[in-house]
Amino acid sequence: MEGYIKLAGQLLDMGAESIALKDMAALLQPQPAYDIVKGIKDTYGDVQINVHCHSTTGVTLVSLMKAIEAGADVVDSAISSMSLGPGHNPTESLVAMLEGTGYTTDLDMERLLRIRDHFAGVRPKYKEFESATLVDTDIFSSQIPGGMLSNMESQLKAQGAGDRIREVMEEVPRVKADAGYPPLVTPSSQIVGTQAVFNVLMGRYKVMTGEFADLMLGYYGECLARAMKRSSPWRRPRTRRTSSRFVRPIS
């Protein structure tokens, strides 16, 4: 918790007008949500704090409630007909949860229900892109963000390998470690996820995307830990590309 509070202070010193906590993998549990938000508020005063949680692990609606109790000013949600799975928690559920608590969103439930009904008719048009995951508590260990999960599912289905999603989810933490633990948020999440898919389908690092090579070489910035030894198997000139190309490690 102390690390997040310190980082918030650094951002404020750089001129930030608000602080956003982005939990793209639904890892933020209720008590840490409370502690982090309250710690920032107690330390730096009345700074605006936004909390962004996905719902993949099933715990984050409670996390939003605890963040609100700690003083969060903004929380993200999605209309119920477009929510849950690797997406966001339902807006209507959040509004109902706050009834009688002393907190309010000032949202009109009747209007929300009309919005819900509209998007209930829109969502089926995109069924082919929809994630099959509703709740997956393995995310607590794999730490795969919602958008990354649905993208990997789509890639595997396109290759006729939709049944291998569990293997890819197990491979993601290994690829993340190899790359020096980059944050799994766009674009690095898609880079790591795509490499994990190739590792499962073609063998570990038999084929490597150009973007993953750039990540290994530090062109996306330094990671929390040192990447695997950046020696000849990974070395290549940086390229300017508008589309992905593949490179093979030198044997």
Side-chain angles (χ1 to χ4, degrees), residues 217 228-236:
L217 291 169
M228 290 191 308
K229 187 178 180 182
R230 294 176 179 140
S231 56
S232 58
W234 305 99
R235 185 164 293 143
R236 68 179 184 83

Side-chain angles (χ1 to χ4, degrees), residues 61 64-65 68 72-77 90-110 112:
L61 187 59
L64 293 181
M65 183 72 234
I68 291 168
D73 302 281
V74 178
V75 297
D76 291 345
S77 62
T91 300
E92 305 95 301
S93 300
L94 178 66
V95 172
M97 182 177 67
L98 294 177
E99 290 181 1
T101 65
Y103 302 99
T104 181
T105 61
D106 291 327
L107 295 175
D108 186 322
M109 183 62 82
E110 290 187 6
L112 289 177

Side-chain angles (χ1 to χ4, degrees), residues 171 173-182 195 199 204-206 208 212-218 222-235 249:
E171 177 66 7
R174 293 191 285 265
V175 175
K176 180 181 177 183
D178 291 344
Y181 297 97
Q195 189 60 52
N199 284 2
R204 299 202 83 228
Y205 302 113
K206 297 295 184 182
M208 190 193 315
F212 186 76
D214 281 349
L215 180 66
M216 295 294 297
L217 291 169
E222 286 301 316
C223 296
L224 293 176
R226 287 183 60 84
M228 290 191 308
K229 187 178 180 182
R230 294 176 179 140
S231 56
S232 58
W234 305 99
R235 185 164 293 143

Side-chain angles (χ1 to χ4, degrees), residues 98-187:
L98 294 177
E99 290 181 1
T101 65
Y103 302 99
T104 181
T105 61
D106 291 327
L107 295 175
D108 186 322
M109 183 62 82
E110 290 187 6
R111 291 186 177 185
L112 289 177
L113 296 180
R114 291 201 296 272
I115 295 170
R116 176 201 66 188
D117 293 343
H118 170 78
F119 282 102
V122 172
R123 184 168 180 163
K125 298 178 182 179
Y126 300 93
K127 185 176 181 180
E128 65 180 294
F129 305 107
E130 193 162 325
S131 171
T133 300
L134 182 58
V135 173
D136 190 342
T137 52
D138 285 343
I139 300 296
F140 284 123
S141 56
S142 68
Q143 302 187 356
I144 297 174
M148 182 180 177
L149 176 62
S150 57
N151 187 61
M152 291 190 307
E153 289 175 333
S154 177
Q155 289 177 329
L156 289 170
K157 287 178 184 176
Q159 297 297 320
D163 60 333
R164 303 191 71 180
I165 183 63
R166 185 61 54 185
E167 294 175 66
V168 173
M169 290 181 67
E170 293 171 353
E171 177 66 7
V172 165
R174 293 191 285 265
V175 175
K176 180 181 177 183
D178 291 344
Y181 297 97
L184 293 184
V185 63
T186 305

